[in-house]
């Protein structure tokens, strides 16, 4: 069943990109339009400074835009923060929550991630909820236990019609050029699928589970063909349109 899920190829620009980088968005929009339309959904999450303009450039195209973080409240006295409603107002339809860099740089807990995911859903956005073990946990053979614990704490209850995306990103593979072995990715994704089915019933069958961590044009084809891998969350290789489009084509 999960093999019938339409893949999502999502770019996470992190704290990269100035106005000149909007050309990359223009190039991606063009590459996925018309007869070359890919059989997957495509998303770019630029820094929030570029989001409104990216929304204009991608309007009426196959490219969706998203935020990289949101506050748990929709508005109010929270200097420097951005709400999910504000992201939606810029044309965003997704938001990444609980990325490992937010968890480590800002001490974000599973409970906070769950509240952010709920805020995203309330604003009409689809949250991409990130989970993944670090190197020490991996060496201690705790990867699956850690990820199940994160899922348990980070996933909100869902109302009818609401959907989430899970991104499995082993922390040691992010930005390092190291990729999890295919057998480990298969084992983890199938264990996440089993967890979803056990805890979320039928909805677990249709939830997208993305892989993230040093996905590049050269390895994307192999990773994206694995069972229960329903797309990718791509950092470094999403910054250049050519590389990102090559990954889209690999899907
Ligand atoms: P990377 O980042 O592709 O540069 O490893 C992935 C991510 O952090 O989402």
């Amino acid at each position: 069943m999960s093999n019938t899920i339409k893949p999502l190829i999502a770019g996470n620009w992190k704290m990269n990109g100035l106005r000149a980088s909007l050309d990359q968005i223009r190039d991606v929009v063009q590459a996925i339009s018309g007869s070359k339309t890919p059989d997957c959904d495509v998303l770019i999450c630029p820094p929030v400074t570029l989001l409104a303009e990216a929304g204009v450039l991608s309007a009426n195209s196959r490219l969706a835009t998203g935020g990289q973080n949101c506050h748990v409240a929709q508005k109010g006295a929270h200097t420097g923060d951005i709400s999910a409603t504000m992201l939606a107002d810029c044309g965003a339809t997704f938001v990444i929550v609980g990325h490992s860099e937010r968890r480590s740089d800002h001490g974000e807990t599973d409970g906070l991630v769950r509240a952010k995911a709920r805020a995203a859903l309330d604003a009409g956005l689809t949250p991409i909820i990130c989970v993944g073990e670090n190197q020490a946990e991996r060496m201690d053979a705790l990867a699956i236990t850690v990820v199940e614990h994160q899922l348990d704490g980070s996933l909100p209850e869902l109302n009818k019609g609401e959907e989430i995306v899970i991104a499995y990103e082993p922390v040691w593979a992010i930005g390092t050029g190291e990729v999890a072995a295919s057998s480990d990715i298969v084992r983890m994704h199938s264990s996440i699928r089993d967890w979803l089915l056990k805890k979320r019933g039928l909805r677990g069958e249709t939830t997208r589970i993305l892989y993230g961590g040093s996905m590049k044009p050269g390895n994307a084809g192999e990773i994206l063909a694995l069972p229960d891998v329903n797309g990718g969350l791509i950092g470094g290789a999403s910054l250049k349109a050519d590389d990102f489009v090559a990954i889209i084509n690999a899907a």
Side-chain angles (χ1 to χ4, degrees):
M1 167 61 88
S2 58
N3 285 338
T4 63
I5 298 174
K6 192 178 194 186
L8 171 65
I9 302 299
N12 171 15
W13 283 14
K14 310 191 179 187
M15 199 171 71
N16 297 295
L18 302 174
R19 292 186 58 77
S21 318
L22 290 166
D23 284 346
Q24 305 302 315
I25 301 223
R26 283 188 192 92
D27 289 351
V28 171
V29 166
Q30 196 175 359
I32 62 174
S33 67
S35 56
K36 287 171 269 170
T37 298
D39 196 16
C40 63
D41 289 332
V42 184
L43 165 70
I44 291 181
C45 301
V48 78
T49 48
L50 300 180
L51 191 58
E53 188 76 21
V56 171
L57 292 175
S58 61
N60 305 315
S61 83
R62 293 282 316 276
L63 178 67
T65 56
Q68 301 174 11
N69 174 45
C70 66
H71 196 271
V72 298
Q74 304 296 356
K75 63 175 182 170
H78 303 286
T79 303
D81 275 313
I82 301 286
S83 74
T85 301
M86 291 168 171
L87 299 175
D89 192 43
C90 288
T93 47
F94 289 84
V95 59
I96 300 166
V97 293
H99 190 281
S100 65
E101 287 151 15
R102 302 261 349 145
R103 290 177 185 260
S104 65
D105 291 359
H106 300 276
E108 294 196 0
T109 60
D110 289 339
L112 184 66
V113 173
R114 184 175 53 218
K116 289 184 175 202
R118 173 41 52 210
L121 291 162
D122 289 346
L125 302 180
T126 301
I128 301 176
I129 303 171
C130 302
V131 295
E133 82 286 356
N134 64 28
Q135 178 70 294
E137 291 159 344
R138 173 196 184 207
M139 298 314 276
D140 286 343
L142 288 174
I144 288 180
T145 312
V146 164
V147 165
E148 288 191 346
H149 192 262
Q150 289 174 332
L151 291 170
D152 217 19
S154 307
L155 268 54
E157 293 300 324
L158 297 181
N159 300 318
K160 201 157 180 268
E162 291 181 337
E163 61 168 307
I164 56 169
V165 175
I166 310 287
Y168 167 59
E169 299 203 299
V171 177
W172 50 270
I174 295 177
T176 60
E178 265 192 80
V179 183
S182 292
S183 55
D184 288 341
I185 298 176
V186 169
R187 194 173 317 119
M188 180 61 80
H189 279 239
S190 105
S191 116
I192 294 173
R193 177 75 61 208
D194 287 349
W195 187 93
L196 288 168
L197 288 169
K198 199 163 77 194
K199 302 278 182 165
R200 298 297 166 100
L202 282 182
R203 195 193 288 271
E205 282 187 2
T206 53
T207 302
R208 282 165 161 158
I209 308 172
L210 313 184
Y211 170 81
S214 297
M215 192 184 280
K216 310 268 182 242
N219 60 26
E222 183 181 340
I223 298 171
L224 293 169
L226 297 172
D228 276 318
V229 174
N230 313 118
L233 183 56
I234 298 115
S238 70
L239 294 171
K240 285 210 189 96
D242 285 354
D243 288 346
F244 192 52
V245 169
I247 294 174
I248 293 166
N249 290 334

